[in-house]
Amino acid sequence: MIPPSFAYRAPASLKEALALIDESGDDAKFLAGGHSLLPMMKFRVSEPAVLIDLGGVPELQGIREAGDRIHIGPMSTENEIIGSALLQQKCPLLPEVARWIADPQVRNRGTIGGDVAHGDPANDHPAVMLALEADFVLRSSQGERVVPANEFYFGTYFTAMEANEVLAEIRVPVLGPGTGYAYKKLKRKTGDFAIAAACVLLTLDRGICKRIAITLTNVGPTPLRASAAEQALTGKAIDDAAVENAAQLAMQICDPAEDLRGDKEYKTHMAGEMVRRAIRQALERAKEAK
Amino acid sequence: MSEQQTVGFTVNGERHTVSVPTRELLVHTLRERLHLTGTHIGCDSSHCGACTVDLNGRSVKSCTVLTVQAQNAEVLTVEGLAGPDGLHPLQEGFREEHGLQCGFCTPGMLVRAYRFLQENPDPDEDQIRTGMAGNLCRCTGYQNIVKAIRYAAEKQTAGSV
């Protein structure tokens, strides 16, 4: 399969990239790692007239610490996320998630920014960004705005990003030493999307759950935040009954699309199981860290 | 009208300049313009790994890279593995350990294993299986592929001491 014809542009700066999208009109698209967009173009699901390749834009590279946040260049590949000593030390959740994505070759091309901004509910980073309460910096030639991850996802392939905007930076918090984290993903095989996955971040205060975030991948049109499950656990000691209650509450918000990976009932059930496992692992890690 | 662009890159140490439609995929340029048909097209959707090549020192699936993205790149294909003294240790390992049956996946396996052993020169079986997870084989059951990569790792490690 060969993609449809397009004009190809390779800007060398962010300014140039933003000027190109302005002059190219509605049919232009930014190209990140190309491991979602190129397959979609092969299938004629997407037929941009102009492709603006962000691969040569230096402003979109690199991973830096900035106070209690880490600023991630969206063109960082999944393997760069895995190999980042800074993330391993300050936000180890992200390298752990990236290891669950695709395979070694694909992780050399696929980027965290592409995964985040594409709007595909099957992608893994979006739910993790909700749990981290990350911020997305969106840039256009008109200026810059910062959108919280929790206000970014509207529907499948439908996000807060305008066509002339680029995701310029991803800002995540440094995880404190007492923070437990986990990402549990069920998939049929290497390279497949999640049947269901769950992300949990939690902090304890003398055995009591002080704060918890529970989010879900690929069981709705967007990544989901299981707010009722979070509220049920906050301020309580997390025992088996509390874990089960949270899993049941998380399952209530699932609305997965039926496909070859399973029907709604199966996927919802698996999402519940991923929530149980993620809470247990995050809890263990929070206790170990004390 | 499809737009053409001129792309210069190095393949197996040899400099090439090609004029290609912007939509042309790297695997097609390698096979059809440079006649390097060792790189195979399997699934054509970045799952199977038969089209794996080395691009600027990283393993990639050449069915999901545009040729225009390889401007000034260094590419290594299976044709570039063997040296003047004969087979690369990996090729020798695949022969000695029966790491192939039909051979369709083998070029991708070899080129991925070449880079994997640079990343991890002395891997155990689990690390080999994880490092090779982007390459599918429908014949061998992977057992002998793992052995072939261990064979090459041992030979290369011994050679470098």
Side-chain angles (χ1 to χ4, degrees):
Chain A
M1 292 171 288
I2 298 168
S5 294
F6 53 83
Y8 174 82
R9 301 287 177 265
S13 72
L14 190 51
K15 198 176 162 203
E16 195 188 333
L18 294 173
L20 277 170
I21 197 96
D22 283 349
E23 70 192 44
S24 303
D26 291 345
D27 285 342
K29 266 201 132 351
F30 286 121
L31 176 68
H35 276 56
S36 294
L37 183 53
L38 292 180
M40 286 173 81
M41 288 169 66
K42 287 180 174 187
F43 286 123
R44 281 15 181 209
V45 175
S46 179
E47 300 190 46
V50 184
L51 262 194
I52 303 170
D53 187 350
L54 299 173
V57 175
E59 294 96 322
L60 301 177
Q61 307 278 349
I63 302 168
R64 300 166 286 279
E65 195 171 2
D68 60 353
R69 311 282 278 176
I70 299 169
H71 293 183
I72 301 171
M75 287 299 286
S76 303
T77 64
E78 301 296 356
N79 269 339
E80 285 166 352
I81 299 295
I82 292 170
S84 163
L86 178 65
L87 286 175
Q88 193 55 53
Q89 197 193 345
K90 302 284 174 83
C91 192
L93 173 62
L94 283 177
E96 180 163 302
V97 171
R99 282 190 197 92
W100 279 99
I101 297 173
D103 62 51
Q105 288 96 312
V106 172
R107 291 194 291 263
N108 277 330
R109 298 293 293 178
T111 64
I112 188 169
D115 190 283
V116 157
H118 190 49
D120 187 339
N123 285 354
D124 293 289
H125 286 297
V128 178
M129 294 295 151
L130 299 192
L132 285 168
E133 298 186 345
D135 285 318
F136 301 149
V137 179
L138 306 181
R139 279 281 278 281
S140 73
S141 58
Q142 313 303 308
E144 180 178 296
R145 62 191 179 114
V146 179
V147 178
N150 282 278
E151 296 167 21
F152 185 76
Y153 298 100
F154 297 154
T156 301
Y157 304 125
F158 179 31
T159 69
M161 209 155 82
E162 300 292 338
N164 70 334
E165 285 181 316
V166 72
L167 176 60
E169 196 164 74
I170 298 166
R171 295 176 179 168
V172 299
V174 169
L175 297 185
T179 305
Y181 61 92
Y183 189 68
K184 291 292 176 188
K185 176 177 178 179
L186 179 68
K187 56 179 181 175
R188 298 177 302 174
K189 58 177 271 296
T190 295
D192 195 18
F193 290 118
I195 294 165
C199 185
V200 169
L201 270 180
L202 73 86
T203 49
L204 294 175
D205 184 10
R206 278 160 291 178
I208 300 297
C209 174
K210 197 166 112 190
R211 182 187 172 273
I212 186 164
I214 303 172
T215 59
L216 307 170
T217 295
N218 215 12
V219 283
T222 64
L224 301 177
R225 183 149 192 177
S227 308
E230 293 173 0
Q231 280 158 24
L233 291 180
T234 306
K236 304 222 168 62
I238 301 180
D239 56 16
D240 285 352
V243 172
E244 186 52 35
N245 183 35
Q248 295 297 331
L249 288 169
M251 284 162 66
Q252 283 176 21
I253 64 165
C254 292
D255 183 22
E258 226 170 87
D259 59 20
L260 290 172
R261 294 180 192 88
D263 58 20
K264 284 178 193 290
E265 192 186 355
Y266 171 69
K267 289 181 168 188
T268 301
H269 192 76
M270 290 302 108
E273 182 55 22
M274 293 303 107
V275 168
R276 288 182 198 104
R277 293 181 189 182
I279 295 174
R280 287 196 191 106
Q281 186 175 35
L283 192 59
E284 264 171 46
R285 284 172 165 169
K287 285 176 181 165
E288 278 166 19
K290 289 282 157 187
Chain B
M1 252 301 279
S2 86
E3 189 181 318
Q4 293 274 134
Q5 280 194 13
T6 301
V7 181
F9 58 159
T10 304
V11 183
N12 303 330
E14 201 176 314
R15 182 80 187 164
H16 294 274
T17 303
V18 292
S19 175
V20 297
T22 51
R23 65 178 184 156
E24 186 161 301
L25 300 162
L26 181 57
V27 69
H28 293 294
T29 303
L30 294 171
R31 289 178 55 83
E32 289 152 32
R33 292 185 195 273
L34 307 183
H35 306 295
L36 296 169
T37 54
T39 305
H40 288 171
I41 302 171
C43 69
D44 204 6
S45 57
S46 77
H47 284 96
C48 79
C51 67
T52 299
V53 301
D54 211 59
L55 180 72
N56 293 328
R58 289 176 180 175
S59 305
V60 303
K61 294 182 172 176
S62 62
C63 74
T64 311
V65 176
L66 299 167
T67 303
V68 290
Q69 292 180 290
Q71 186 72 266
N72 297 322
E74 296 269 347
V75 179
L76 177 80
T77 70
V78 70
E79 288 89 347
L81 277 188
D85 305 329
L87 294 181
H88 186 277
L90 274 163
Q91 293 169 314
E92 199 183 297
F94 271 69
R95 185 185 64 192
E96 292 304 313
E97 300 290 350
H98 304 281
L100 63 142
Q101 288 177 33
C102 88
F104 191 86
C105 72
T106 312
M109 288 284 176
L110 287 167
V111 178
R112 170 58 196 147
Y114 167 82
R115 180 52 53 191
F116 171 63
L117 288 182
Q118 317 270 314
E119 295 160 359
N120 184 351
D122 187 23
D124 63 24
E125 177 172 345
D126 272 0
Q127 291 167 332
I128 292 173
R129 287 180 183 272
T130 306
M132 298 298 295
N135 294 71
L136 299 181
C137 172
R138 302 289 79 165
C139 302
T140 62
Y142 302 101
Q143 206 66 28
N144 290 346
I145 291 174
V146 173
K147 286 184 195 159
I149 294 170
R150 267 310 310 166
Y151 176 102
E154 278 158 32
K155 184 160 180 178
Q156 285 181 323
T157 317
S160 68
V161 174

